[in-house]
């Protein structure tokens, strides 16, 4: 069934299946077994965990196609129609109520941390159910990047910083996106803005990334480097960490006309009792924004060494 779905969707991908008693155990199994020989995936993409109900786009697609048999006969072969009907009839039904959610919030955060512990990059997507490429590229002609780099020398932050840039650049290299959008990079700075701007522009030049660059200073000159991360803020609710609140406000102000936003994934806390606060923070961090990708880098993804 899943092979047929990938085939019909015209997606170039390998399909791996597993059987497990919980979603987390299944994810752990896939993290350790996926790949072909020495070719192992290095990035895990996950949907966003919230209370919104999923939209059955396949259902709408199936109904519209079945209403146009002549077009179907032109587009699909008979075998493809059989595959489509099999996929449509055998896929698990989507939940229709909040209490139908089989994945617990704590389990979801554990899955993020499992992927990071196993050396994977992690991307979490939100609001892409609202994305319409034909409309978005015309009305929102920007791909925005909001890298968060507030601890020099921190490898995890450096890798995340570069991963966010790389993902946005790869998307912008797609011909349709390149012809309809511009790449913008927003950097939040505190002091020595001229020096940081020169260093960052030199880095973009070395990496051959063509982007409009804009520097933003915190309101009132507040320091961002002193803000705690979620991992060591046990006494402070994750949703109240000032750094990410401030960045959310900036993204909402400057990126309302973007098709997609790429930014850093806030680190998950060590204390399991803070997991719900962490998810609440992610909710606040990305609320009322265009489609957004939060990424955590776990390995170097760019180099200027030749």
């Amino acid at each position: 069934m899943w092979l047929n779905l990938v085939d019909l969707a015209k997606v170039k991908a390998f399909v791996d299946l597993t059987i497990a008693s919980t979603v987390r155990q299944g994810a752990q199994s896939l993290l350790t077994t996926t790949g072909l020989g020495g070719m192992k995936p290095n990035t895990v993409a996950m949907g966003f965990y919230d209370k919104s109900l999923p939209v059955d786009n396949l259902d709408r697609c199936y109904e519209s196609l079945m209403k146009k048999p002549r077009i179907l006969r032109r587009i699909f072969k008979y075998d493809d129609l059989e595959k489509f009907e099999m996929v449509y009839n055998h896929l698990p039904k989507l939940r229709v109520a909040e209490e139908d959610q089989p994945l617990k919030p704590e389990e979801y955060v554990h899955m993020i941390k499992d992927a990071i512990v196993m050396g994977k990059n992690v991307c979490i997507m939100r609001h892409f159910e609202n994305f319409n490429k034909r409309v978005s590229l015309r009305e929102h002609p920007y791909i925005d990047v909001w890298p968060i780099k507030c601890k020099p020398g921190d490898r995890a932050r450096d890798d995340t910083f570069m991963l966010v840039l790389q993902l946005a650049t790869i998307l912008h290299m797609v011909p349709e996106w390149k012809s309809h959008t511009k790449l913008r990079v927003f950097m939040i700075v505190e002091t020595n803005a001229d020096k940081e701007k020169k260093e960052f522009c030199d880095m973009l030049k070395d990496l051959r990334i063509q982007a409009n660059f804009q520097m933003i200073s915190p309101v009132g000159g507040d320091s961002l480097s002193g803000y705690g991360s979620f991992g060591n803020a046990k006494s402070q609710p994750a949703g109240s960490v000032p750094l990410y609140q401030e960045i959310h406000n900036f993204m909402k102000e400057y990126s309302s006309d973007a098709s997609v936003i790429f930014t850093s994934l806030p680190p998950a806390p060590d204390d399991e009792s803070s997991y719900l606060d962490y998810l609440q923070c992610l909710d606040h961090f990305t609320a009322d924004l265009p489609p957004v990708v939060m990424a955590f880098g776990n390995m170097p993804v760019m180099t200027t060494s030749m």
Side-chain angles (χ1 to χ4, degrees), residues 175-187:
E176 187 174 5
W177 285 79
K178 189 169 186 177
S179 61
H180 290 86
T181 63
K182 293 182 179 180
L183 184 62
R184 300 188 300 192
V185 180
F186 295 89
M187 178 66 72

Side-chain angles (χ1 to χ4, degrees), residues 106-213:
E106 296 82 3
E107 195 174 21
Y108 177 81
V109 179
H110 275 302
M111 288 167 59
I112 296 174
K113 299 186 70 174
D114 289 343
I116 293 173
V117 168
M118 298 181 73
K120 308 293 186 183
N121 300 322
V122 175
C123 295
I124 296 181
M125 327 293 195
R126 191 181 190 189
H127 301 312
F128 279 89
E129 70 278 4
N130 302 323
F131 179 75
N132 182 316
K133 185 167 70 172
R134 181 176 300 178
V135 175
S136 294
L137 296 187
R138 182 178 67 251
E139 298 182 357
H140 307 284
Y142 297 103
I143 300 171
D144 285 357
V145 183
W146 289 84
I148 303 172
K149 188 175 188 293
C150 55
K151 287 185 180 180
D154 186 335
R155 177 182 168 182
R157 289 185 181 273
D158 288 341
D159 290 343
T160 297
F161 182 83
M162 301 304 285
L163 176 63
V164 169
L165 283 175
Q166 184 194 53
L167 292 174
T169 302
I170 291 173
L171 178 61
H172 189 246
M173 291 171 65
V174 176
E176 187 174 5
W177 285 79
K178 189 169 186 177
S179 61
H180 290 86
T181 63
K182 293 182 179 180
L183 184 62
R184 300 188 300 192
V185 180
F186 295 89
M187 178 66 72
I188 301 175
V189 297
E190 303 170 43
T191 57
N192 298 324
D194 292 338
K195 179 181 178 182
E196 289 196 40
K197 182 175 182 179
K198 183 180 184 305
E199 290 177 350
F200 194 81
C201 288
D202 289 342
M203 183 191 70
L204 291 178
K205 183 178 179 180
D206 291 340
L207 296 172
R208 301 178 184 177
I209 296 176
Q210 297 181 353
N212 296 328
F213 178 59

